[in-house]
């Protein structure tokens, strides 16, 4: 992977992490279009690095909310911040279980499986379309809805299922107001990404130590992908917040249908 290729993939990640069109799916499509020959481990490692960048972008955009949340937690009281943190922890359970029990199986999904990506993009499109037609209510997030949204996040491990699209759509379909749906969706992923980084720290350090050897993803490419994903992610996150509030998800559903169909056709006929 060259620096230019990494920058392109970083921009792709930054855009698609927050726009509900599946960042993992588009990364896999991008790797295929760039003719990158990465094994499952290296491909997944690069994916984790750029996801870490967009997690930091989320923290930057929601820095005031995170500051209020941390201040409330440090009071060690049963307040709104403590309850919100509890809901985030509940939402993490499904993805945590799937990630721990099926890590090796997940790795194999990140090896250019374009037909799978295309199929899951169509599923994402259906979710977005249904959510956009759902009535707007003022319901708040409760433990049960947090767990259901967590299941949607776990399913979004599949490349082609948009994490933000799945979690926001599920929240809206459950009747949660759109502003809270977007806020919860973007904040709930931060612990998951940091947890993945911590769990994979040993392997990541080992891979980076081999940069000058046989690794096909050099440090410069990793850094370039990280920076471009962060910068573009900040811009895309702000755009997505506005679009969710204005019920404009259906436009992304049409995009997912088109790209998903093209991906499936290209796999079988080219």
């Amino acid at each position: 992977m060259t620096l230019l290729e990494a920058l392109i993939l970083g921009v792709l990640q930054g855009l698609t992490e927050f726009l509900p069109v599946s960042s993992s799916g588009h990364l896999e499509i991008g790797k295929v279009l760039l003719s990158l020959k990465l094994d499952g481990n290296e491909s997944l490692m690069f994916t984790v690095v750029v996801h870490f960048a967009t997690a930091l972008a989320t923290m930057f955009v929601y820095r005031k909310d995170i500051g209020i949340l941390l201040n409330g937690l440090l009071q060690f009281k049963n307040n709104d911040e403590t309850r919100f943190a509890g809901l985030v922890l509940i939402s993490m359970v499904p993805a945590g279980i799937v990630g721990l029990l099926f890590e090796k199986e997940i790795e194999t999904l990140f090896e250019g499986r374009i037909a799978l990506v295309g199929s899951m993009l169509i599923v994402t499109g259906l979710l977005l379309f249904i959510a956009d037609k759902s009535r707007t209510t003022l319901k708040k997030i409760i433990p049960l809805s947090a767990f259901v949204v967590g299941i949607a996040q776990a399913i979004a491990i599949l490349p082609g299922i948009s994490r933000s699209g799945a979690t926001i759509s599920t929240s809206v379909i459950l009747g949660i107001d759109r502003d809270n749906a977007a806020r919860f969706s973007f904040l709930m992923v931060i612990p998951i990404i940091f947890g993945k980084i911590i769990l994979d720290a040993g392997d990541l350090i080992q891979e980076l130590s081999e940069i000058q050897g046989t690794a096909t993803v050099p440090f410069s490419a990793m850094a370039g992908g990280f920076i471009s994903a962060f910068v573009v992610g900040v811009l895309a996150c702000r755009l997505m917040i506005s679009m969710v509030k204005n019920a404009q998800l259906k436009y992304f559903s049409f995009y997912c249908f088109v790209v998903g169909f093209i991906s499936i056709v290209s796999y079988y006929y080219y």
Side-chain angles (χ1 to χ4, degrees), residues 87-105:
L87 292 172
V88 169
L89 288 175
I90 291 172
S91 73
M92 291 170 56
V93 173
I97 293 174
V98 171
L100 289 173
L101 296 182
F102 302 101
E103 182 177 4
K104 295 300 181 184
E105 289 79 1

Side-chain angles (χ1 to χ4, degrees), residues 142-161:
I142 60 174
L144 178 59
S145 58
F147 187 76
V148 173
V149 174
I151 293 175
Q153 178 167 250
I155 295 173
I157 291 174
L158 291 170
I161 298 289

Side-chain angles (χ1 to χ4, degrees), residues 152-174:
Q153 178 167 250
I155 295 173
I157 291 174
L158 291 170
I161 298 289
S162 165
R163 195 208 64 82
S164 63
T167 53
I168 291 174
S169 294
T170 300
S171 298
V172 172
I173 292 169
L174 290 174

